[in-house]
Every structure is written in C-alpha cells, then in structure tokens.
Amino acid sequence: MSEHPYLLAVIVGSTREGRFAPVIATWFTRHAARHPHIDLDVIDLDEVRPYTLRHGSEEYVSFAKRVDEADAFVVITPEYNRSFPAPLKHAIDLLHTQWQAKPVGFVSYGGISGGLRAVEQLRLVFAELHATTVRDSVSFALAGNLFDDAGELRDPAAATQAADTLLHQLTWWAVTLREARATRPYGG
C-alpha cells in the first residue's frame, strides 16, 4: 500500500427530481471517509448537469479535470428500465482518456434487482474506455425500505461488509495503476 492517499471520485449518477441517490451517496461517502488512505471528491451529476456542458467551457474543463485527477471511481447508480440513467451515460461519453487505466466500482440501487442490471451494462461501457471494473459491488434492493428517515441503514452489517470489500479492491487497483501510469503512461 502506498503511503499517499489516492483520490476516489464518487459519481452520483441520478439527476431525477425526488431521487434517492443523495441518501445512498451520503451513506457511502461517510463510510469511505473512514478509510485514511482515501481522499474523496463527490461529483454529483445533478450539479454538473452533463447535458449543459459544452466542450471547452469552464464547466466542461472543471468536470474533465476532476475526472482526470481521480485515481479511482465509484459510480452510484439507480436502475431505470433495466439500465442506468441517460445523464450518467452522457457524462461518461463526454470524456475518454480521463477514464483510462483507472478502476471503477459500483454502488447500485433499485427494485428487486438492486440495480445490478444497470451495473452490468456500465461494465461494458467502462471496458470500452479502457477502465477496469472491480468485481464486487454494493447493491441495495428496494433501497427505500432499507434506510430510516435520517438516512441510516436499519441493518448496516451486510452493506458495510460489501462496501469494505469494494474499497479494498479499489484501493489495490487505484494504487497499482497510479504507480503504473506514473512509470509508463497508458497509451490505449
């Protein structure tokens, strides 16, 4: 393990009105912040508004820089109609080299599938961008029933263990690929 923390960008992929994403994002970022080897940057697409970004604009440059500076990503995604949200796809497609040779993990939520169908499709998208996705993820089936009114998990044990597994895998890949990119820039 490197003595230097790595930068984990947490991408909040839902922009719908009334979205549940902030509850999931708050829980996950609070958990990840307990890991001293991780620095966090939360990129909320509801604030970024990917459809409004024009190549070369200040907002576009800021978004591209944040993605480029990240050593790893966790995408928080709901499942809409057996897939992931369109604004998330647009945000991913705005950039290319900024994603390359970096690990991506997933925290998903949705109905009975817990967003896993969205995650499977996102794995294909990130593979095309030369990013590597980690195997394990965190999934919340029927997420609204799992959290109380204060945004706390009613029974956190399984989700906490899944998040730790995800973060352990991301850490290995983030540090390893950061060192590799510094030694030999990726040319995919």
Side-chain angles (χ1 to χ4, degrees):
M1 169 92 61
S2 172
E3 62 189 51
H4 303 290
Y6 71 92
L7 181 59
L8 174 62
V10 177
I11 300 173
V12 183
S14 175
T15 62
R16 279 190 180 176
E17 187 174 332
R19 66 198 177 129
F20 197 70
V23 174
I24 303 286
T26 299
W27 174 83
F28 181 78
T29 55
R30 252 189 285 178
H31 183 76
R34 295 184 188 119
H35 293 253
H37 53 277
I38 299 174
D39 290 333
L40 292 169
D41 179 17
V42 178
I43 302 175
D44 188 342
L45 295 186
D46 195 46
E47 296 169 7
V48 171
R49 307 305 297 174
Y51 286 120
T52 66
L53 297 180
R54 299 293 171 250
H55 190 72
S57 69
E58 184 178 323
E59 294 83 5
Y60 174 91
V61 170
S62 173
F63 174 63
K65 182 179 180 193
R66 290 171 76 184
V67 171
D68 191 48
E69 290 177 346
D71 296 304
F73 306 96
V74 165
V75 176
I76 297 177
T77 185
E79 181 178 315
Y80 296 154
N81 301 319
R82 295 182 176 257
S83 189
F84 55 92
L88 175 57
K89 178 69 161 96
H90 188 73
I92 294 166
D93 288 348
L94 283 171
L95 307 174
H96 184 71
T97 58
Q98 295 88 344
W99 304 108
Q100 289 182 341
K102 296 179 183 177
V104 182
F106 302 99
V107 176
S108 64
Y109 62 99
I112 196 71
S113 76
L116 293 175
R117 292 177 290 216
V119 168
E120 289 308 309
Q121 292 182 30
L122 281 165
R123 290 183 190 284
L124 298 172
V125 172
F126 280 108
E128 185 64 22
L129 293 168
H130 298 242
T132 188
T133 61
V134 298
R135 180 190 175 280
D136 290 285
S137 62
V138 181
S139 175
F140 295 102
L142 305 170
N145 298 333
L146 304 177
F147 290 83
D148 63 21
D149 292 338
E152 298 294 330
L153 276 169
R154 297 179 199 285
D155 184 8
T160 299
Q161 182 177 357
D164 284 337
T165 299
L166 169 65
L167 290 169
H168 177 74
Q169 291 174 6
L170 272 177
T171 297
W172 188 90
W173 282 104
V175 172
T176 301
L177 290 175
R178 179 177 63 188
E179 292 169 358
R181 288 191 312 274
T183 304
R184 183 175 179 194
Y186 185 77

